[in-house]
Amino acid sequence: MEPSGGQSSAADGERPSQDDRRIEGFLPPGRLRRFGYGVASHTAHLRAQAARDFEERRGFLFLAVGFSCGAAAYFILPREPLLSALLPAALAAAGAACLAWWRGGGAYPLVFLACFLAGMSAGKLRVESLRAPVLEHPLSSEVTGRVVAVETRAERTPRVVLDQVRIERLSAEETPHRVRLTLRTDLPPTGATVKGAARLAPLPGPAIPGGYDPARAAFFDGIGASGFVFGTLTVVEPPSGVHLFLAIAAIRRAIAERITDAVAGPPAAIAAALLVGDRGKIADADVDALRIAGLAHILAISGLHMMLIAGTAFWLVRAVLALSEHMALVLPIRKIAAAVALAVGAFYLSISGGNVATIRAFVMLAVMLTAVFLDRPALSLRNLAIAAFVVVALQPESVLEPGFQMSFLAVAALVAAWEAWRDRPRQDLAEPARGLMRLLRRPVVAIGAVGLTTLVAGLATSPFAAFHFGRLASYSLLGNLIAMPLVSLIVMPAGLISLIAMPFGLETVPLTVMAWGIDLVLASAHFVASLSGATVIVPPFPAIALILMCGGLLWLSLWRSQLRLYGVAPLLLGALLAWLLGARPDLLVDEAGRAVAARDVAGHLQIVGARQGSFLDDVWREGEPEAEAAGTSGFRCDAEACVLEMPEGLTLSRVTDPVAFSEDCRRAEIIVTQLRAPRDCAARIVIDRSALATHGAHALFMESKHPDGVAPHLELRTSRPSIRRPWQGSPALR
């Protein structure tokens, strides 16, 4: 019997595909049709939700993500791209997007691509604008330059940054535009031209592969060399002329001095950090306590500080103007207050040092207050996207810095949580709260708001804290519940009043109040930090895990419909990869080969060649549990080498005399030396002068032996790729 028309593909000359037959084997025909209808219905539902979100202009948020991802992609490329290729590609994508929009469809992917390429172009333009000579060899010479920055540091010697540099032993073409010098004498005034004998050296690379890179940070600050001063710096010419940045630097320094004159001790250092961004005088113990308690964000001038300062100014101006009935009825006092708040925010930005979080906060503030002028909603993710465009366009290198990532992700998560709370289904109460319940409602709501804000921001920033710092604060919720009301209600308002009072010499009282609030904040931080289990050590994990978690968080935050729930999958997958693939290195070697850290047979980290308490020693021990930081007792040293027995039966030899090569190359599996090792050295891993000059710092990870006795797999990671990028200098000449 022939099948009825249209019910069989064979009737049309077609055969069922292999996938169709496979599905039909599991599902009866009726259930198969229902399955297909269900998939089609779900797909149509998702498309409708996406269309509704795009009608609400949520697509603009993803353009900011594309622009930022383009900048990040430029900095992680293995080699330097051509600007003559990036700009035409970006323009071509923009032109294709315009053409697609004119024809009526398919424009958004092209717009996203254009933003991505524009972000890459912004990174390239930024790097090209900063290209300058860098010091390639250590040298001692007389240095002359103008002081543009003074950095005071608690428990460390202060530093100055010089521009208009002249180095006696270098030609003008070889001289860096800026140098940073450490000195032990009195600090010269900002703007003065100074001269002195100094020892200069190339900027150091990362202490650990994938870690903080001082050379990269210095490149984007325009600094091409660092060193220390022999004796003192002589003032050749006092400050003269009018320079905006020098005037701002002088104001910042004067404010810091007035703070120190009015109050003393740790509160003075914290107050200087909050008002002028000078964190150099904060004691290491206080910084550690704040970080462990989850309060380190207090020290970085960001959205919290900007909104408290500008918000206090807005409230004060509006309240004063509202005292006059005539002004309240005739003048737009809300817009006047917004203008004053914007001016206060701009002044606060200028004296705060202008880091990424502060710039982002000011752009957000400016967009919000502009919305007040235009009678539009002030708080939205759109404002955050605009701030991201501005910050990345000005400082594209910031996309790879933890401050940028944590700042923007925290704000995005908070605004998204607020939108979800605002749009929640509401149920009217039958009776309003009365009596004691009415009195308790506001404090309970305020405490709940602080707790929810801390929880959301903490969850959003924890992947970045784990990746960049290797630590998580277990009791950050408790620390913020105690400290944040003090910061919001006492510390920052008193700080604003003290800034207003300083020109009149009346800052002592508000600064005393501010110091009292800071004392309470520090006491709460030390209390929380003293609790058992306050810090969770997180082993280093691959960047792909962070990318997945970041993508999931963005997806959860930027969509408004149920589409956001699909962000949970990459978030959980990234967390799983971080947990499975996280591992601490078994061997670390600095880029000069002088210092070595390795694990002994008990798994304890042993360090040789680095002074205890030095920067390198602190960085290497930072991710280690306290019980495993054993010291240097595991190394057996003589005049020729230092030997350490490592896990899995491996032997490490740090050779200091060429005589030791003949024996240790046969006996040890790992050789580390500042010398040039023999070509016929039989060790499995050889890290010698050539390897260090080419690849910088080294880290070795080992897997456990297999049950059949196979030697462990050794994975070697380095801090410098074979192909140099402009900010990585010339390690071969270091």
Side-chain angles (χ1 to χ4, degrees), residues 291-374:
R291 185 180 69 247
I292 294 172
L295 297 172
H297 61 90
I298 293 177
L299 300 179
I301 298 178
S302 59
L304 169 70
H305 309 77
M306 185 67 70
M307 296 307 168
L308 288 175
I309 288 288
T312 302
F314 180 89
W315 181 85
L316 286 175
V317 172
R318 192 176 182 186
V320 171
L321 294 178
L323 294 176
S324 171
E325 182 178 356
H326 176 73
M327 287 185 173
L329 295 175
V330 175
L331 299 178
I333 61 173
R334 188 165 178 262
K335 296 181 179 181
I336 294 174
V340 175
L342 184 61
V344 170
F347 174 74
Y348 189 42
L349 172 67
S350 66
I351 66 172
S352 65
N355 58 40
V356 172
T358 313
I359 295 173
R360 188 268 309 162
F362 177 74
V363 173
M364 278 284 291
L365 175 70
V367 173
M368 291 173 59
L369 294 178
T370 302
V372 172
F373 284 113
L374 300 177

Side-chain angles (χ1 to χ4, degrees), residues 480-534:
N480 281 270
L481 283 175
I482 298 174
M484 290 315 298
L486 298 171
V487 175
S488 303
L489 301 177
I490 299 175
V491 175
M492 294 309 296
L496 174 61
I497 296 173
S498 67
L499 290 176
I500 297 174
M502 275 186 188
F504 307 99
L506 303 175
E507 72 275 6
T508 301
V509 173
L511 282 176
T512 302
V513 175
M514 186 181 187
W516 176 71
I518 292 173
D519 275 328
L520 295 178
V521 171
L522 287 176
S524 64
H526 283 280
F527 165 72
V528 174
S530 66
L531 299 177
S532 176

Side-chain angles (χ1 to χ4, degrees), residues 433-483:
R434 296 180 179 178
L436 181 61
M437 293 300 297
R438 186 174 183 180
L439 293 176
L440 295 177
R441 182 177 179 180
R442 286 184 180 275
V444 170
V445 169
I447 294 174
V450 173
L452 183 61
T453 298
T454 302
L455 182 63
V456 171
L459 290 175
T461 57
S462 57
F464 305 97
F467 181 81
H468 291 289
F469 308 119
R471 293 173 180 265
L472 291 175
S474 305
Y475 304 123
S476 63
L477 180 60
L478 175 62
N480 281 270
L481 283 175
I482 298 174

Side-chain angles (χ1 to χ4, degrees), residues 46 73 203 229 261 348 402 547 680 699:
L46 293 180
L203 293 158
V229 177
D261 293 339
Y348 189 42
I547 293 173
D680 59 351

Side-chain angles (χ1 to χ4, degrees), residues 119-205:
M120 293 187 69
S121 302
K124 176 66 174 177
L125 288 170
R126 170 74 167 162
V127 168
E128 292 299 325
S129 69
L130 292 173
R131 281 186 183 269
V134 296
L135 190 66
E136 297 180 343
H137 299 280
L139 60 86
S140 299
S141 179
E142 186 175 77
V143 178
T144 305
R146 181 181 62 171
V147 179
V148 294
V150 176
E151 304 172 10
T152 56
R153 303 181 294 171
E155 304 172 13
R156 294 192 178 113
T157 53
R159 302 185 299 192
V160 296
V161 177
L162 308 180
D163 73 351
Q164 300 179 5
V165 178
R166 297 190 301 276
I167 300 176
E168 189 176 64
R169 294 179 56 186
L170 296 179
S171 65
E173 293 75 16
E174 299 173 316
T175 302
H177 294 173
R178 287 189 173 193
V179 299
R180 183 167 52 211
L181 299 175
T182 301
L183 67 163
R184 300 180 180 276
T185 56
D186 294 337
L187 295 173
T190 304
T193 301
V194 296
K195 179 170 64 174
R199 176 67 176 177
L200 299 176
L203 293 158

Side-chain angles (χ1 to χ4, degrees), residues 3 15 29 54 75 121 142 187 192 230 234 249 267 290 326 360 364 378 384 414 416 469 476 616 645 693 700:
R15 294 183 178 182
F54 275 90
F75 289 107
S121 302
E142 186 175 77
L187 295 173
F230 296 113
T234 304
L290 290 168
H326 176 73
R360 188 268 309 162
M364 278 284 291
L384 182 66
L414 288 171
F469 308 119
S476 63
L616 192 62
E645 298 299 326
L700 181 70

Side-chain angles (χ1 to χ4, degrees), residues 45-62 108 381-382 419 423 554-566:
H45 178 63
L46 293 180
R47 288 179 177 176
Q49 289 184 330
R52 186 166 57 251
D53 280 351
F54 275 90
E55 287 176 359
E56 297 178 358
R57 300 181 179 180
R58 309 289 282 197
F60 179 74
L61 309 179
F62 291 94
Y108 188 77
L381 284 171
R382 189 177 181 85
E419 288 181 344
D423 299 337
L554 285 172
W555 194 271
L556 282 168
S557 301
L558 301 187
W559 291 106
R560 190 171 181 179
S561 63
Q562 294 180 358
L563 282 171
R564 66 171 54 182
L565 298 179
Y566 287 92

